[in-house]
Amino acid sequence: MKNIVILATGGTIAGASSDPTDMVGYYAGIVPIAEIVENIEPLKNIANITTEQIAQIDSADMDHKIWFYLAERINALLNQSDVDGVVVTHGTDTMEETAYFLNLVVKSQKPVVLVGAMRPSTAISPDGPMNLYNAVILAVSSDAWGKGVLVSLNDTINSSREVTKTNTALQDTFKAPELGYLGYIVDAHPHFYRMPTRKHTYLSEFAIEGITEFPQVEIIYGHVNDNGILAKAAADAGVKGLVYAGLGNGNMSQTMQDTFQKIQDQGVVVVRSTRAGNGVVTRNGSFAEDPFVAADNLSPQKARILLMLALTKTNNAREIQELFWTY
Ligand code: SIN
């Protein structure tokens, strides 16, 4: 059997409540991973599993410090010849961000799978045990090699770059809207139908060695009558980058155009993403005509991650634009 390490960070998969009908008022990040694994008997037949409790948090409290530790630990483990894959248990609320961050900084072709649950472990019918079983199935599969960091819940396989949480409560919440799943897991077999096409993991130029904190990047949400006070406040506070969750194709009012132009002239890199949820944000001409970076189809929260990593290398908007077309 292959050797899989489960790194646990908390979330609803480790959630608990005194009421088995409780699907909302439970506490996330309570049950230790060793106990969760011990209670899933079939796991013992598919891999030699070791567990490490990295954190025990609601994923709203995930932070860069834990990200750096997680990435370092995964890279160290996957460097070992006796580790075949890593599974990370995580709260679902920010799972897509951690997954995309790891997709850009893990240096291995071996499978890395993020998994969580929508129902706490104490629910009448929790989804966590089956999700975790499937995540390990994926981690031992040679089909999962070289596909970047994967997210698996509810029998589906998603690319970390495209996946997002689409529903606040349903188990069927993780999707790559319009682009689709990479595949399914049925009866303990992964079925892949697509490949991620953007650079990731072993081909990524990003590394976290020597970095203790990211350049600060904030997200500004676009809306009617936006007067730019939040963008100006962020620039005054010293951010190095801003992502605008813009209108439609990353569009903005003349007021926001002027505000962001002034901010970028002060050395803050501005990225135009969209609040539309789907589709490509394209450039509006040359850098002389449109000085801002277009986010391609990255969501604002993922554009923030790529911009933070990009800013560890350069603050040249043209070079950062190339990175957005690449990752
Ligand atoms: C969390 O993200 O930690 C809580 C919600 C969840 O895991 O579903």
Side-chain angles (χ1 to χ4, degrees), residues 22-301:
D22 203 344
M23 299 300 149
V24 180
Y26 59 89
Y27 292 99
I30 301 291
V31 186
I33 188 64
E35 189 180 321
I36 294 172
V37 168
E38 188 55 37
N39 288 331
I40 308 172
E41 199 57 36
L43 273 180
K44 298 180 178 118
N45 304 324
I46 56 171
N48 299 312
I49 292 174
T50 50
T51 62
E52 292 178 25
Q53 193 78 51
I54 299 288
Q56 189 61 298
I57 56 170
D58 186 306
S59 77
D61 296 319
M62 185 51 70
D63 59 26
H64 297 166
K65 199 165 161 234
I66 302 174
W67 274 6
F68 288 129
Y69 180 75
L70 199 52
E72 274 167 20
R73 191 70 194 118
I74 293 172
N75 279 328
L77 286 166
L78 295 182
N79 248 331
Q80 291 177 211
S81 56
D82 60 350
V83 174
D84 298 296
V86 168
V87 170
V88 178
T89 61
H90 198 291
T92 60
D93 286 348
T94 63
M95 181 183 292
E96 66 201 62
E97 292 176 59
T98 301
Y100 185 54
F101 162 70
L102 294 173
N103 194 54
L104 296 174
V105 299
V106 165
K107 302 285 174 206
S108 177
Q109 296 202 52
K110 293 179 185 174
V112 176
V113 183
L114 270 80
V115 64
M118 291 301 288
R119 294 178 172 176
S121 67
T122 48
I124 298 172
S125 60
D127 53 335
M130 192 67 204
N131 286 347
L132 186 54
Y133 178 80
N134 277 342
V136 176
I137 286 289
L138 203 48
V140 298
S141 168
S142 53
D143 291 350
W145 273 62
K147 293 195 170 65
V149 173
L150 302 171
V151 170
S152 178
L153 281 90
N154 208 35
D155 304 343
T156 64
I157 308 167
N158 277 288
S159 162
S160 52
R161 185 181 182 279
E162 274 92 39
V163 73
T164 191
K165 187 173 182 175
T166 62
N167 188 287
T168 56
L170 299 184
Q171 291 169 77
D172 183 26
T173 180
F174 278 91
K175 295 178 196 284
E178 296 189 348
L179 298 179
Y181 306 124
L182 294 184
Y184 308 105
I185 304 170
V186 181
D187 269 351
H189 291 290
H191 299 257
F192 277 94
Y193 301 95
R194 300 177 214 292
M195 290 280 281
T197 58
R198 294 306 180 91
K199 269 191 175 178
H200 58 73
T201 55
Y202 66 106
L203 296 175
S204 169
E205 67 206 82
F206 299 112
I208 46 152
E209 282 72 35
I211 300 173
T212 49
E213 187 44 292
F214 281 127
Q216 194 172 357
V217 174
E218 297 293 330
I219 299 170
I220 304 287
Y221 202 93
H223 57 85
V224 166
N225 206 44
D226 199 345
N227 56 19
I229 57 167
L230 290 181
K232 278 186 232 144
D236 289 346
V239 297
K240 301 290 183 267
L242 282 177
V243 173
Y244 188 53
L247 320 171
N249 183 19
N251 296 324
M252 58 186 80
S253 64
Q254 194 56 52
T255 304
M256 290 309 291
Q257 178 86 23
D258 296 343
T259 304
F260 281 132
Q261 175 74 68
K262 278 192 201 122
I263 288 172
Q264 186 144 295
D265 288 346
Q266 292 162 23
V268 177
V269 177
V270 176
V271 172
R272 293 167 39 241
S273 180
T274 178
R275 65 177 202 177
N278 288 291
V280 181
V281 171
T282 57
R283 291 201 49 77
N284 293 323
S286 68
F287 272 87
E289 294 156 324
D290 173 15
F292 310 128
V293 175
D296 196 331
N297 68 338
L298 286 180
S299 63
Q301 59 272 31

